[in-house]
Amino acid sequence: TCDTGDQQTTAAVQLKEAAATIVEGLRDVATHEGEDAAFECRLSQEAAQDAQWFLGDVPLQSNEMNEIRVQGTRHSLILRKVTLEDCGSISFKVGQHSSAA
């Protein structure tokens, strides 16, 4: 606010949080049927609300077969007891950025 006595003007400052980017992408994993497969991505910042894991085109959620964790900037996916149907592309997307293995 600028006040000159008989006149006053006010302005506001607005900030937009920078979008998260992927700074460490996914790596391919080879394992045996019945074992777990673990994937990890590291982002540029912690507050990434739109991060999502995919198997092929199917979005994954944390459940008894898929464990999704977030620890700071590290996002991890563990596929439990993989089968031949789990073979394929795993991808991680955040905003306009993605990584696949």
Side-chain angles (χ1 to χ4, degrees):
T1 300
C2 179
D3 191 341
T4 62
D6 59 342
Q7 292 181 339
Q8 186 179 37
T9 184
T10 303
V13 175
Q14 296 180 357
L15 296 175
K16 288 186 178 180
E17 186 175 5
T21 60
I22 297 172
V23 295
E24 186 180 313
L26 296 176
R27 295 190 177 131
D28 293 343
V29 172
T31 189
H32 294 92
E33 191 170 14
E35 293 181 354
D36 295 348
F39 300 88
E40 186 175 273
C41 252
R42 190 167 57 89
L43 302 183
S44 60
Q45 60 190 36
E46 290 186 22
Q49 300 299 321
D50 58 347
Q52 179 68 56
W53 289 96
F54 294 86
L55 174 58
D57 293 331
V58 178
L60 298 176
Q61 296 180 2
S62 202
N63 56 36
E64 67 277 352
M65 297 305 294
N66 311 313
E67 183 179 341
I68 295 174
R69 293 184 195 167
V70 178
Q71 295 173 315
T73 60
R74 293 203 179 274
H75 290 248
S76 61
L77 167 68
I78 300 172
L79 300 178
R80 299 278 183 213
K81 299 180 182 176
V82 294
T83 65
L84 293 176
E85 290 83 32
D86 296 319
C87 288
S89 178
I90 294 290
S91 59
F92 178 81
K93 297 180 182 177
V94 59
Q96 302 294 320
H97 306 279
S98 67
S99 180

